[in-house]
Amino acid sequence: MHKLLTDSPGTKMLLLGNEAIARGAMEAGVAFATCYPGTPSSEIPEQFFNISKETDLYFEYSTNEKVAMEVAAGAAVSGLRTIVTMKHVGLNVAADPLMTLAYTGVNAGMVIINADDPSLFSSQNEQDNRFYARLSGLPMLEPTNVQEMKDVTVHAFELSEALKLPVIIRTTTRLAHIRGPVVLDEMKPRKRAGYFEKNPFHFVTVPAVSRKLHGLLLERDEKAKEMAKDFPYNEVIGDGKWGVVANGVSVNYVKDAVSDLGIADRVRILKLGMTWPLNKTYIADFLRSVEKVLVVEELEPVLENDLKVIAQENGITVPIEGKGVGRLSRLYEYDPRMVREAVAAYFGIDYTSTPPVDVSDLPELPARPPNLCPGCPHRATYYAVKQVYGNVDSIRPTDIGCYTLGLLPPISMADFVICMGSSVSSGCGFATATDQKVVSFIGDSTFFHSGITGLINAVHNNHKFTLVILDNGTTAMTGHQPHPGMDASPMGFDWPQISVEDVVRGCGVKDVHVVKPFNLKKTIEAVRAAYEYDGISVIISKEICPLFAKSIGKARKGRPFTVDQEKCKNHRDCLNLLACPAMFLDGEQVQIDKNLCIGCSVCAQVCPENAIKPLK
Ligand code: SF4
Ligand code: SF4
């Protein structure tokens, strides 16, 4: 049985923050879950995926976040408790349905999990999605530890039903990926059969209907503000004349800081678990109770500005500061040391930060930039494309996925990326705006996510470039989740597999090449043919991700390769042009680590001396 199905109230379990959210949803009787995976949220849907194999919980990996939001909306207005999960940039994709779903509201608890990524550990930006709560008018809850990740999730369903609005839970990477003890509660039964009561004058958002609904949203917002006053995860901790306001993981840093600095008896901490909407009376009361206030919040000065407005409206002159105190800035995630320094500086506590451990006498570690794995088929495809485009003045837009790592030398095949699907659409722009050749790269999951619309645009508007779809049969970067184009039979599912090639042809592309990238000669021929085609051409480079293949028992059977030192002329084309991480220099000799090599044979094809052979 999946551990999150343990039906034993009072049991204490060590859970990852993301697991705690999934458990909270189960305790709340969630019946319907959708997502598009994205770090730092990916472990949440992973739990639902596995739980759905054992229960009647409906779960799907949707093609993108907008679709996930819309599928979930259908279930939530039909009366099922529903959860939808995504990372922060995913909410940009889902913003369109989000904004109008706030108008229609829902008929059963709907919780939207949004995982922000301060410090951009695995993201293309570090936007602060607290603005989405303010933009959409939806309540936002922010847990501060793993126990609260569960409890707040349960509460979010209740709040959603009380307000008839979706509720957003915002987490950050630090919370999503810490482990902590969690006391389990009982599981509510799941209501699995929904029914949609038709009401076109509420749910069909033509202008006349939406004018009325906007007013309804504001009424619900007022009700939410009232409820924020007694929200159980808003809390004033301690007593004293100095005030600190914090949210999310920063609450823990503040608690530690006041304790470490010995000022716990002088500080009142306002921990805000509901960061939108704010109850102005509750906050004004807090501001009146202290002489000065420090706001500790990662990223943007959202609460700081709100507090200043509330103070001004209430004639409260207490100083309020946040950004710019010590090292508190709008950049990156905070840590305990910087919060301790800021608290000490702001309240005039004599404190000298412990100097960091002196490691200056240690030899510098070699840089380990992220790299495509040994035997990654993307490396072979990039090599083939480079053979054709190497000396041509060309632009190579890429996309979000493992293949973004093609950025690094010696591959150096990434010139532009802004978001999922952008390689295709920006390729249209580059091809039309410049005289340079354009070759774009996108993965299979990303193609289904949002590459298709760009491709249709390319065909319809007669943009001329080559799109390479790197089809490795899975959503590799986030942990091998399924997508519509994968063969799910090895995983025990009989989901229909949607052919990338059929979709590409269906979009109207006439010049389509399907290649196996480990066959370099044929792949290079296909790239050359596409290069010469006067129009939009697509190369589908199909080879399963070797790590995924291993996880489903489909790993290559071939032997690892080795360098015949007799034949090797040591000019290092293999290293300088391909650089598979299984290859290394032993003194002056090129060698292959047989434990890393998957036997793809690409290096053997690159070596002009035929010096690389399968190990006997
Ligand atoms: S390409 Fe072949 S000959 Fe050249 S260094 Fe590599 S293994 Fe040796
Ligand atoms: S055969 Fe060559 S390219 Fe393929 S994994 Fe082994 S060392 Fe790397």
Side-chain angles (χ1 to χ4, degrees):
M1 186 179 72
H2 194 288
K3 70 175 178 183
L4 297 186
L5 292 172
T6 305
D7 195 7
S8 172
T11 300
K12 204 179 252 189
M13 215 177 241
L14 189 66
L15 294 180
L16 193 70
N18 278 343
E19 290 175 332
I21 285 184
R23 169 68 192 194
M26 296 311 294
E27 286 184 5
V30 73
F32 205 95
T34 64
C35 85
Y36 188 79
T39 308
S41 73
S42 300
E43 295 86 358
I44 309 171
E46 191 182 325
Q47 309 309 316
F48 294 137
F49 177 56
N50 290 322
I51 287 169
S52 69
K53 295 179 202 160
E54 297 181 37
T55 68
D56 63 349
L57 169 75
Y58 176 79
F59 171 75
E60 71 170 46
Y61 283 110
S62 306
T63 40
N64 66 31
E65 297 83 356
K66 173 171 147 47
V67 173
M69 184 77 76
E70 290 158 351
V71 172
V77 297
S78 301
L80 298 189
R81 285 199 162 186
T82 301
I83 194 165
V84 53
T85 76
M86 61 200 66
K87 68 181 293 178
H88 64 302
V89 287
L91 200 53
N92 301 338
V93 181
D96 202 3
L98 177 81
M99 297 302 294
T100 308
L101 190 58
Y103 279 26
T104 64
V106 289
N107 290 326
M110 177 173 177
V111 174
I112 299 161
I113 306 289
N114 162 90
D116 278 13
D117 189 16
S119 282
L120 309 95
F121 293 104
S122 54
S123 305
Q124 62 269 43
N125 70 33
E126 61 171 356
Q127 69 191 38
D128 189 330
N129 274 11
R130 289 178 296 170
F131 289 115
Y132 268 117
R134 286 145 179 85
L135 181 64
S136 63
L138 293 176
M140 175 170 275
L141 312 182
E142 295 195 65
T144 65
N145 57 44
V146 183
Q147 179 73 52
E148 282 193 9
M149 299 280 266
K150 175 185 84 67
D151 296 341
V152 167
T153 305
V154 178
H155 197 91
F157 281 97
E158 306 290 341
L159 183 65
S160 168
E161 281 176 11
L163 294 167
K164 292 180 110 10
L165 285 177
V167 168
I168 305 170
I169 295 180
R170 174 181 182 256
T171 70
T172 55
T173 308
R174 197 56 47 186
L175 286 166
H177 291 158
I178 51 169
R179 277 185 193 277
V182 175
V183 179
L184 306 185
D185 286 307
E186 59 187 27
M187 309 251 256
K188 287 199 180 63
R190 231 183 327 282
K191 180 187 165 200
R192 190 61 179 79
Y195 184 79
F196 179 59
E197 295 280 355
K198 291 184 196 185
N199 182 358
F201 296 102
H202 180 93
F203 284 110
V204 182
T205 52
V206 293
V209 170
S210 291
R211 263 180 224 120
K212 181 190 71 172
L213 292 180
H214 194 183
L216 178 63
L217 174 62
L218 297 188
E219 280 171 29
R220 289 171 169 171
D221 181 60
E222 283 304 315
K223 189 174 170 193
K225 278 183 191 147
E226 271 308 303
M227 295 173 80
K229 192 169 184 186
D230 300 316
F231 182 67
Y233 300 94
N234 287 346
E235 194 184 349
V236 176
I237 304 163
D239 203 3
K241 282 293 171 196
W242 294 335
V244 180
V245 178
N247 67 318
V249 72
S250 302
V251 170
N252 307 302
Y253 302 155
V254 171
K255 281 193 200 165
D256 284 353
V258 298
S259 159
D260 294 349
L261 295 169
I263 53 169
D265 56 340
R266 281 178 272 172
V267 177
R268 276 164 82 74
I269 303 168
L270 175 58
K271 159 186 181 284
L272 281 175
M274 186 160 174
T275 51
W276 192 257
L278 300 173
N279 184 289
K280 292 186 175 182
T281 311
Y282 179 73
I283 289 176
D285 286 348
F286 178 82
L287 296 179
R288 281 193 201 95
S289 73
V290 288
E291 289 170 354
K292 61 192 301 197
V293 176
L294 176 68
V295 185
V296 181
E297 57 184 331
E298 291 174 324
L299 300 180
E300 298 301 320
V302 176
L303 294 174
E304 184 183 334
N305 291 342
D306 285 336
L307 261 56
K308 285 174 178 167
V309 170
I310 293 171
Q312 200 277 340
E313 286 175 351
N314 287 275
I316 301 168
T317 53
V318 59
I320 299 169
E321 284 188 57
K323 303 298 165 196
V325 177
R327 289 186 287 137
L328 301 185
S329 84
R330 292 168 62 191
L331 290 169
Y332 318 136
E333 69 168 2
Y334 289 178
D335 62 47
R337 176 195 293 264
M338 65 198 288
V339 171
R340 202 161 49 231
E341 284 170 7
V343 170
Y346 191 61
F347 295 115
I349 304 297
D350 196 16
Y351 166 73
T352 314
S353 179
T354 344
V357 179
D358 182 10
V359 290
S360 55
D361 58 336
L362 293 179
E364 217 168 280
L365 286 173
R368 288 191 60 212
N371 204 350
L372 295 169
C373 298
C376 174
H378 301 336
R379 187 181 300 277
T381 311
Y382 279 129
Y383 177 86
V385 174
K386 218 165 174 183
Q387 296 311 296
V388 177
Y389 283 82
N391 298 320
V392 177
D393 181 12
S394 57
I395 307 170
R396 298 100 182 236
T398 191
D399 226 292
I400 309 281
C402 290
Y403 45 89
T404 319
L405 305 175
L407 163 78
L408 299 170
I411 298 173
S412 306
M413 291 292 273
D415 293 329
F416 186 77
V417 59
I418 47 175
C419 64
M420 300 276 280
S422 66
S423 64
V424 195
S425 332
S426 66
C428 296
F430 287 125
T432 304
T434 73
D435 290 331
Q436 293 159 287
K437 277 283 196 186
V438 175
V439 55
S440 292
F441 298 93
I442 194 168
D444 41 354
S445 184
T446 314
F447 176 69
F448 284 108
H449 178 284
S450 47
I452 296 172
T453 41
L455 186 58
I456 291 170
N457 184 69
V459 173
H460 177 70
N461 292 299
N462 200 24
H463 294 294
K464 297 177 181 178
F465 65 101
T466 296
L467 173 66
V468 181
I469 301 176
L470 299 147
D471 182 356
N472 63 6
T474 185
T475 315
M477 196 173 223
T478 46
H480 300 135
Q481 290 85 4
H483 67 67
M486 81 177 307
D487 172 11
S489 55
M491 297 168 78
F493 295 98
D494 61 356
W495 297 325
Q497 182 181 5
I498 296 163
S499 153
V500 174
E501 183 181 354
D502 288 354
V503 171
V504 168
R505 291 190 190 279
C507 289
V509 180
K510 300 279 181 281
D511 191 53
V512 183
H513 310 259
V514 181
V515 295
K516 301 290 285 174
F518 290 160
N519 185 332
L520 281 184
K521 186 165 175 282
K522 288 213 163 137
T523 306
I524 293 168
E525 281 169 12
V527 175
R528 188 155 289 122
Y531 176 91
E532 277 155 15
Y533 186 76
D534 185 29
I536 174 83
S537 56
V538 173
I539 297 166
I540 302 164
S541 185
K542 245 176 124 61
E543 183 61 55
I544 191 166
C545 161
L547 297 185
F548 179 56
K550 199 169 166 194
S551 74
I552 57 170
K554 297 258 171 192
R556 288 180 79 81
K557 299 274 186 298
R559 285 171 285 160
F561 278 58
T562 186
V563 180
D564 179 342
Q565 301 300 339
E566 302 283 306
K567 286 187 162 182
C568 176
K569 297 253 172 67
N570 206 20
H571 43 51
R572 302 182 189 169
D573 283 7
C574 49
L575 279 179
N576 297 337
L577 304 179
L578 190 65
C580 170
M583 313 192 90
F584 63 99
L585 274 179
D586 182 10
E588 287 301 305
Q589 289 185 336
V590 179
Q591 299 275 13
I592 292 175
D593 182 338
K594 67 178 186 326
N595 297 310
L596 291 178
C597 174
I598 68 154
C600 73
S601 84
V602 173
C603 56
Q605 297 170 63
V606 169
C607 174
E609 313 299 333
N610 275 329
I612 304 180
K613 296 264 159 38
L615 200 61
K616 290 206 177 108

